[in-house]
Amino acid sequence: MNDSSWGSPPHAGSRAGYWGPVDQGPVQGAAPAGPAYDAPEAQQTRPMPIVPEHGGDQDEGRGAARPGGPLFPDRPYGTQPYGDAAHGHDTPSAQPHAAVPQNPEPMPDASHPAPAPQKKSAGRDLGAAIGVGVGLGVVIVASLFVVKAVFIGVIAVAVVVGLWELTSRLQERKGIKAPLVPLAVGGAAMVVAGYVRGPEGAWVAMALTALAVLVWRMTEPPEGYLKDVTAGVFAAFYVPFLATFVALMLTADDGAFRVMTFLVLTVVSDTGAYAVGWRFGKTKLAPRISPGKTREGLLGAVSFAMVAGALLMQFVIDDGTWWQGLLLGLAVAASATLGDLGESMIKRDLGIKDMGTLLPGHGGIMDRLDSLLPTAPVVWLLLVLFVGSG
């Protein structure tokens, strides 16, 4: 406790540094008698109490000695302060030691008990999520194994809706106006070109779409042109171009089974990450990007995907082997996780949780495509390397 807490500093005429009792002469902070000092000032001064040599603890905050003894009693909780302390002064009043309770009452406990630990929650409407997922699965499987052209239409519709969600959120949250019309038309054409003309057709459609974005934006004022066209080209690559690799998988003789393998592995990876992470997850994987993801969940995704990959490559894909499935499952788990983290980064930058509300329990279309889009080229490439493009 520093000297300034004891009131006014001593005058030059006083004996500085004297810590004696009141009746032994002037003390620090006391005004000397005489006509130069009026009565009100003299009444406001207080004698400095005696500090005993022993009986004080060390102040944990500043390391200074805390006075103890009868002049510095510890008042029990809830008692009314007396003396100068009742008026906001730090100086304790010199009350007799016998008046202080010897066994002060302890601090009372909090009025509200500690809340009971809550159970983990999935954070979404699980019933709606399962229903929507099953419905989408039926549409995809029916179109995939009945008429391939219908499935190409499903991909094109998903691409257009995803572009609409992405460009809408960019404009709402960042004021970026990526041209939707050339993106939607070019995106659908990109998927069809990939299915009809192969990788060359996909690359040509991508280049023409980027050019259309640049030209379309020229019809508006130049302010913000660079950020708008940059976002447009990014959207063209991120959504329709990556989705085109699903159409490329479909061109093979066993294309329907390749696409099914791609979809099943991605879903199994996400399911393994969710199940294991929700039950055992403790160590955060990327807390600054997606606080809900854990390293335990990543291990679950890898384990589930590798087992599923071995089974699918051995029994579904022509000329495939189980060890290729292990590598394929590992690659899918990695790409799906990175894709999920990538979109989480976009949504965190935009300050939103979901890209849309079209799918109850899931969010928007882009919230379902986040892990599928970057996984499509990985699966297409590995299947071409393992069993060829035929």
Side-chain angles (χ1 to χ4, degrees), residues 2 8 24 45 61 72 88 98 110 171 181 218 287 305-306 311 317 333 361:
N2 53 34
S8 304
Q24 293 181 3
T45 59
F72 295 87
Q171 183 171 357
V181 173
M218 291 179 183
M306 290 182 70
L311 295 175
I317 302 300

Side-chain angles (χ1 to χ4, degrees), residues 74-233:
D74 292 328
R75 288 185 288 105
Y77 180 83
T79 58
Q80 181 69 23
Y82 45 79
D84 292 338
H87 301 284
H89 301 294
D90 293 338
T91 306
S93 176
Q95 295 291 337
H97 184 61
V100 181
Q102 298 297 323
N103 297 319
E105 298 178 2
M107 293 287 290
D109 295 334
S111 58
H112 301 286
Q118 297 181 354
K119 296 182 179 180
K120 292 183 178 181
S121 174
R124 294 184 184 273
D125 188 346
L126 189 58
I130 293 176
V132 171
V134 171
L136 290 175
V138 171
V139 172
I140 291 173
V141 171
S143 61
L144 182 61
F145 288 96
V146 176
V147 181
K148 290 184 177 181
V150 176
F151 183 72
I152 295 298
V154 171
I155 299 176
V157 171
V159 163
V160 172
V161 176
L163 285 170
W164 169 71
E165 289 180 347
L166 180 59
T167 55
S168 298
R169 301 296 88 78
L170 289 174
Q171 183 171 357
E172 290 173 1
R173 308 298 298 184
K174 295 292 186 179
I176 300 175
K177 300 178 181 179
L180 178 60
V181 173
L183 285 173
V185 175
M190 209 179 301
V191 174
V192 175
Y195 178 70
V196 175
R197 303 295 298 178
E200 296 83 1
W203 278 112
V204 171
M206 172 65 196
L208 293 176
T209 301
L211 181 61
V213 167
L214 298 177
V215 174
W216 189 279
R217 180 57 180 80
M218 291 179 183
T219 61
E220 298 182 10
E223 290 76 17
Y225 178 82
L226 183 59
K227 66 177 182 180
D228 292 345
V229 297
T230 302
V233 174

